[in-house]
Amino acid sequence: MTDPSCQPTSKRLPHPYLSGNFAPIHHVQPLTPCPVTGTIPTDLAGGEYVRNGGNPVANEALGRDAHWFDGDGMLTGVVFNLKPSGEKVGIQPQFVNQYILTDVYLSTITSPFIKTPILPSIATLVNPLSSLLTITLRILRTLLLVFLSHLPGSKQAITRISVANTAILYHDGRALATCESGPPMRVALPGLETVGWFNGKTCEGEHSYAAGPGFGGKGPLSFFREWTTAHPRVDPQNKELLSYHSTFAPPYVHYSIVTPSALHFHQDGVGSSKFFNSPVPGIASAKMMHDFGVSRSHTVIMDLPLSLDPLNLSRNKPVVAYDPTARSRFGVFPRYEPERVRWFETRACCIFHTANTWDSTTDEDLPSKAQQAVSVNMLACRLTSASLVFSAGAIAAPVPTTSVPAHEREEEQCRLYYYQFSLEHDASNMIRHQWALSAIPFEFPSLRDSVSMSAAKYIYGCSVSDSSFGAALGRAVKMNSLVKVDAETLIARGKRSPPDPISGCVDIRNVSEILHSQEYNDPIKIFRMPDGWYAQESRFVPRQGGTGEDDGWLLSYVFDESQLQEDGECRPDAHSELWIIDAKSMSEVVAKVQLPQRVPYGLHGTWFSQQDIQDQRPVVSMRSIARKQQKEASASPFWQAWMAVRRSIEFRLA
């Protein structure tokens, strides 16, 4: 089952997401001291910044389909340790990176013939030019390799297909790496060793037991129903972990809340859940869902016109398909009552990341339990089409087969949008406000964790200097600007003088105009990277005893592309840096940590405090890459014959 498109070729240009600083790096390092220029703030002492991203370990067929969201999960971290007593006072940063030892990763490295990833590329599934035969063969290859991994002679069985390559978070003593094709995977801090799969109740590698099934429940579809969003939310007040599970079969979306064990203890010491695998009614088909919104009292599920459905093949459509003529639907329901979901409809769009969600209440002076939410507010990065899904795989977006009405046509953009869903009238589901805070491109949002699920003032994100997001999509997306948006000020301004619904912007300036602004209290501040330098998603770390929500630091991995060779590939000695930026001024780099190697452009990260690291749950065992010993020399002729057949099958599938 050899696919010609997977064969190397000297004539084909390098894939943009397999070359330059998007190219995977296979060298992993234990905690390694790093030099620093500038002064590292003491607020970072004892903590660790970690970022996740896809890094395919089987990468020999460079002419294959590839997508930015593909690849085995690799965590890259910097730990900020206080120097030992006797040395000069200060902080010694240490770099560490590790592959996440998923079933897929371990099976790949223990199979000598695997040259391309076991899982089909997202690019293959979304490409409108992919034939039914091509997609079927790629999926069949994956199924056969998974089946083969369970037969005698395998060194690693694939029980879950998640590559855990998207994000990472902390909940109830566990650092969890996530990806929506499986449950979270626990890793240990600060060394980033892999502990095991977490099913919402128990975790592989821990000494804990719980009655009943975890994410996914029981039955033949439990494998799919345990697929958990890559962006679970942790309530900063009661520490509940909220997540949803999107599947291919009705009711399509289930919803879970995991209560931390410190708040709800069982006799066995395992945290329980108020809601586990609860269906969310009202969704009519399988969708690509990447994120959702959570306020203190409500949850928002997004049913957007971007399908992710194997049955699309029977309709002569790609597995992933976008319908610009359909409606976007937002399902809002009380946190503990998904059956009371109310659906709000608007124009077609794509949203991959929400920035924050919060309630507007009747009387904020009353105790929180006595307040009644009259509306739910949400900030999200709204794309006017699904172009990013295709461009991230170096694929031209398909031309819509049905025309969009003239009054609904929009330019190609990704902006930070404000939505307000009114709950005052039971019979009328009205979106009271829906417009962009700013005209500049904006993605990879983050905020100060302690103010999430409330009316936070500041949202941080990434942008590009192009006048439009569409121009940036014409090549591999690289972010050369970090942005701070005063959402509170811009929302108030928009309510006083509302812009046009959906297509309007409160602030219509472009990146260049904002950079040249002399206004001290400008609601948008941009840190522009030096020419040739590119940033990644930033994370906020508060200053201890600081004044103001934005008093703290932004951390981001950055890369200088002057280290690229003439062919566009990185020099062998290329390296990245971790920059620490004053979040209040958005103009000063207070410290630069020189890393021993480069960090490929990746996805999402988080900050773990010293307390988080100290409060980790005990671990009984770690996953490892130790290989099972095969006793082929003394094996029977039947065993040797089987292994010969097995190697032949694996070679043909590789």
Side-chain angles (χ1 to χ4, degrees), residues 445-469:
S446 63
L447 78 168
R448 181 171 179 155
D449 289 339
S450 62
V451 296
S452 67
M453 303 186 190
S454 64
K457 184 175 180 63
Y458 297 106
I459 302 294
Y460 306 93
C462 298
S463 189
V464 294
S465 58
D466 299 273
S467 59
S468 75
F469 190 66

Side-chain angles (χ1 to χ4, degrees), residues 219-486:
L221 295 179
S222 62
F223 170 79
F224 295 107
R225 287 179 175 163
E226 74 169 359
W227 291 11
T228 303
T229 173
H231 293 286
R233 292 292 195 270
V234 177
D235 189 316
Q237 290 190 347
N238 66 18
K239 305 304 180 183
E240 288 179 337
L241 176 75
L242 298 97
S243 61
Y244 67 87
H245 319 279
S246 182
T247 64
F248 303 131
Y252 298 108
V253 174
H254 292 78
Y255 172 70
S256 296
I257 302 176
V258 179
T259 303
S261 58
L263 299 179
H264 196 106
F265 237 85
H266 275 211
Q267 292 182 352
D268 54 18
V270 179
S272 73
S273 172
K274 295 180 180 178
F275 287 90
F276 235 64
N277 306 314
S278 299
V280 179
I283 300 173
S285 60
K287 297 295 178 66
M288 176 181 277
M289 293 186 182
H290 186 69
D291 203 351
F292 69 140
V294 178
S295 70
R296 293 277 161 76
S297 65
H298 285 79
T299 299
V300 182
I301 294 290
M302 297 184 290
D303 179 15
L304 307 179
L306 182 63
S307 65
L308 173 59
D309 191 349
L311 294 179
N312 281 352
L313 296 175
S314 65
R315 308 180 188 108
N316 198 30
K317 295 197 302 184
V319 175
V320 178
Y322 178 70
D323 182 0
T325 64
R327 308 296 286 173
S328 291
R329 304 169 70 239
F330 298 86
V332 181
F333 57 86
R335 179 179 290 191
Y336 308 117
E337 299 176 276
E339 69 279 2
R340 290 180 55 196
V341 63
R342 294 173 58 177
W343 291 100
F344 298 76
E345 292 191 4
T346 185
R347 189 180 300 174
C349 68
C350 282
I351 295 174
F352 290 103
H353 300 115
T354 64
N356 192 28
T357 306
W358 69 100
D359 304 306
S360 294
T361 58
T362 50
D363 189 344
E364 296 183 358
D365 294 327
L366 294 174
S368 58
K369 291 185 178 179
Q371 296 174 10
Q372 295 293 320
V374 295
S375 59
V376 173
N377 310 271
M378 187 170 75
L379 289 171
C381 299
R382 177 184 182 270
L383 293 101
T384 52
S385 78
S387 293
L388 179 61
V389 177
F390 302 96
S391 65
I395 299 167
V399 177
T401 56
T402 54
S403 60
V404 178
H407 68 280
E408 292 191 359
R409 293 172 189 164
E410 301 179 66
E411 61 180 325
E412 195 73 64
Q413 285 294 356
C414 180
R415 292 169 172 159
L416 182 62
Y417 261 68
Y418 172 63
Y419 293 91
Q420 186 178 73
F421 307 103
S422 174
L423 303 178
E424 292 182 278
H425 306 289
D426 290 339
S428 175
N429 292 349
M430 180 182 67
I431 303 179
R432 183 177 287 126
H433 298 290
Q434 49 178 329
W435 24 258
L437 299 190
S438 168
I440 67 172
F442 192 96
E443 246 294 358
F444 288 94
S446 63
L447 78 168
R448 181 171 179 155
D449 289 339
S450 62
V451 296
S452 67
M453 303 186 190
S454 64
K457 184 175 180 63
Y458 297 106
I459 302 294
Y460 306 93
C462 298
S463 189
V464 294
S465 58
D466 299 273
S467 59
S468 75
F469 190 66
L473 290 178
R475 56 188 182 276
V477 179
K478 301 173 187 175
M479 287 141 324
N480 60 5
S481 301
L482 299 177
V483 184
K484 179 175 75 172
V485 174
D486 183 344

Side-chain angles (χ1 to χ4, degrees), residues 457-458 484 486 489 493 509 513-526 547 550 582-587:
K457 184 175 180 63
Y458 297 106
K484 179 175 75 172
D486 183 344
T489 295
R493 185 183 298 176
R509 295 174 296 168
E513 290 169 331
I514 296 171
L515 286 170
H516 286 90
S517 170
Q518 300 299 313
E519 183 182 347
Y520 177 75
N521 291 320
D522 197 314
I524 304 175
K525 292 187 177 181
I526 297 178
T547 58
D550 62 341
D582 185 333
K584 186 173 281 289
S585 70
M586 290 297 289
S587 61

Side-chain angles (χ1 to χ4, degrees), residues 524-542:
I524 304 175
K525 292 187 177 181
I526 297 178
F527 177 85
R528 175 73 159 79
M529 297 295 297
D531 288 345
W533 287 75
Y534 294 93
Q536 302 190 37
E537 178 193 72
S538 63
R539 298 300 297 187
F540 180 88
V541 182

